[in-house]
Amino acid sequence: MIVRSFKEIEGTDRHIKSESGTWESKRIVLAKEKVGFSVHETILYANTETSMWYANHIEAVVCTEGEAELTDRETGKTYTITPGTMYLLNGHERHTLKVKEKDFRCICVFNPPVTGREDHDENGVYPLLTEPEEV
């Protein structure tokens, strides 16, 4: 059994701040836990826009605080995401999240799980990283 809090991973190697400066993520469950998914609390900063494309992952996102406009760049359709709203990127959709005037906080689940070392590349993609096998 694993029990840990987001508070206790602040400032550790599980607390990632993006090179773009638009978000930070506390990765509470990672690939090294070997459970088949990862879980993160992510904060996208107020008045920012982040374009992403999880070509290698499926992501489910549940908003817990704030408001953002989600644009599916494949279709052009936009959605308003508010607390209690979930979106699932089950088709590897290219998408953009434009955060309103308050930080946008969400819980994210990834499959396959991330290792904790990922950041978006120039296309908004997380590379597919794996953990080394234990000997």
Side-chain angles (χ1 to χ4, degrees):
M1 180 184 301
I2 298 169
V3 177
R4 83 176 44 105
S5 71
F6 288 116
K7 182 78 174 151
E8 72 187 68
I9 63 175
E10 285 181 13
T12 71
D13 62 351
R14 290 175 176 265
H15 188 180
I16 308 301
K17 296 189 179 187
S18 71
E19 287 188 26
S20 69
T22 62
W23 59 267
E24 65 182 84
S25 183
K26 296 175 195 157
R27 290 144 181 209
I28 200 160
V29 177
L30 290 170
K32 64 183 160 187
E33 275 81 53
K34 299 190 183 307
V35 294
F37 58 89
S38 58
V39 178
H40 320 167
E41 177 190 52
T42 300
I43 299 169
L44 292 100
Y45 305 131
N47 302 307
T48 63
E49 189 171 307
T50 306
S51 292
M52 297 164 271
W53 173 35
Y54 296 116
N56 302 309
H57 299 84
I58 300 295
E59 182 192 29
V61 177
V62 177
C63 173
T64 60
E65 187 177 317
E67 182 178 337
E69 179 180 276
L70 172 68
T71 301
D72 180 339
R73 295 196 328 264
E74 310 285 329
T75 65
K77 187 166 171 100
T78 62
Y79 305 87
T80 299
I81 308 299
T82 56
T85 305
M86 183 279 307
Y87 64 91
L88 177 64
L89 301 165
N90 59 328
H92 305 283
E93 295 85 358
R94 296 172 194 256
H95 61 288
T96 300
L97 207 59
K98 185 175 182 178
V99 180
K100 304 295 182 178
E101 37 309 309
K102 182 180 176 188
D103 287 351
F104 181 86
R105 184 179 304 263
C106 55
I107 302 296
C108 310
V109 177
F110 279 84
N111 184 15
V114 303
T115 66
R117 302 183 308 271
E118 295 81 357
D119 196 349
H120 298 112
D121 69 12
E122 65 278 359
N123 297 308
V125 175
Y126 275 174
L128 187 57
L129 302 178
T130 57
E131 289 294 332
E133 290 298 318
E134 294 178 15
V135 281

